[in-house]
Amino acid sequence: MLGAVVLSPETLDPIINEMSRKYNIEPAWIRAHIKAESNWDVNASRFEAHKGDASWGLMQLLLVTAREVLGNPNLTTTQLINPRANIEAGTKFLSQLWSRFGNMRDTIAAYNAGSPRLNAQGKYVNQAYVDKVTKNYERYKTLGTTAGNVAINVEEAVTSAEAIPIYVLLGVGAIGMVLMSSKSEA
């Protein structure tokens, strides 16, 4: 691959909204998966040694999965990293899993691990991933595309244990809002 090509949620909104309508999956949920899987990097890839294959693109799909989901046995890796094809395959896959499992957390677990397997403590085998996507979803749902992206990045940037006030001005044109946050002690 040529390296990271990070796109903003706003850039991908037309595709995300189209696929959301087409497959009946909330835009915030699609954004949450993209954030967790690739952090908006179109060229993201991750070799899956146990499968002898790699996950590709914004929604990190195996080529074999994308071919099956899209019904295109000739789909190539180059085609799969195209944002439209990748978001369509990922969203359609989420829709299929939702139909199968009927709830968000099982669907998230299955998207990542193939099934919503539980460990001996009754938690998902991939609990950290499920929690990460759920947290991203709540942020994108509450704050919207632009605000969600900024809020996530600002919060991740704060690493000090002391209370640090953060003020972020968000808006378009003359309309905007100020988000105020602070790092609190646990």
Side-chain angles (χ1 to χ4, degrees):
M1 288 292 128
L2 297 173
V5 176
V6 178
L7 298 178
S8 68
E10 305 82 35
T11 303
L12 296 168
D13 263 357
I15 298 169
I16 290 170
N17 291 332
E18 176 187 342
M19 296 309 153
S20 169
R21 288 187 300 274
K22 187 173 183 177
Y23 296 107
N24 199 29
I25 297 292
E26 290 180 76
W29 199 14
I30 299 167
R31 289 182 195 104
H33 275 277
I34 292 171
K35 175 70 177 164
E37 290 287 351
S38 68
N39 198 26
W40 302 96
D41 181 359
V42 172
N43 287 335
S45 64
R46 177 177 54 242
F47 184 71
E48 311 263 349
H50 64 287
K51 294 183 179 185
D53 200 353
S55 299
W56 298 97
L58 292 163
M59 296 190 77
Q60 290 293 284
L61 292 151
L62 295 171
L63 186 57
V64 68
T65 302
R67 285 176 173 165
E68 182 180 311
V69 167
L70 294 176
N72 180 355
N74 300 316
L75 186 73
T76 66
T77 302
T78 303
Q79 292 168 325
L80 181 56
I81 63 170
N82 173 285
R84 175 173 291 286
N86 195 274
I87 293 171
E88 178 159 21
T91 304
K92 186 174 182 182
F93 189 41
L94 282 172
S95 179
Q96 291 172 349
L97 293 170
W98 177 265
S99 294
R100 182 173 174 195
F101 296 108
N103 71 72
M104 185 178 279
R105 293 182 70 78
D106 283 356
T107 298
I108 293 168
Y111 186 95
N112 180 253
S115 73
R117 295 172 295 175
L118 301 176
N119 63 23
Q121 291 77 34
K123 293 190 178 235
Y124 292 105
V125 172
N126 55 341
Q127 187 69 48
Y129 177 82
V130 173
D131 292 343
K132 181 178 187 177
V133 173
T134 302
K135 188 175 181 181
N136 289 344
Y137 166 76
E138 290 167 358
R139 287 178 175 155
Y140 283 118
K141 180 124 174 108
T142 301
L143 299 173
T145 306
T146 305
N149 192 43
V150 172
I152 290 168
N153 290 336
V154 168
E155 183 176 297
E156 289 171 356
V158 176
T159 57
S160 172
E162 64 188 86
I164 302 170
I166 300 171
Y167 304 95
V168 179
L169 176 61
L170 303 170
V172 177
I175 302 171
M177 68 177 157
V178 175
L179 300 176
M180 297 180 356
S181 178
S182 64
K183 180 91 174 166
S184 59
E185 294 182 21

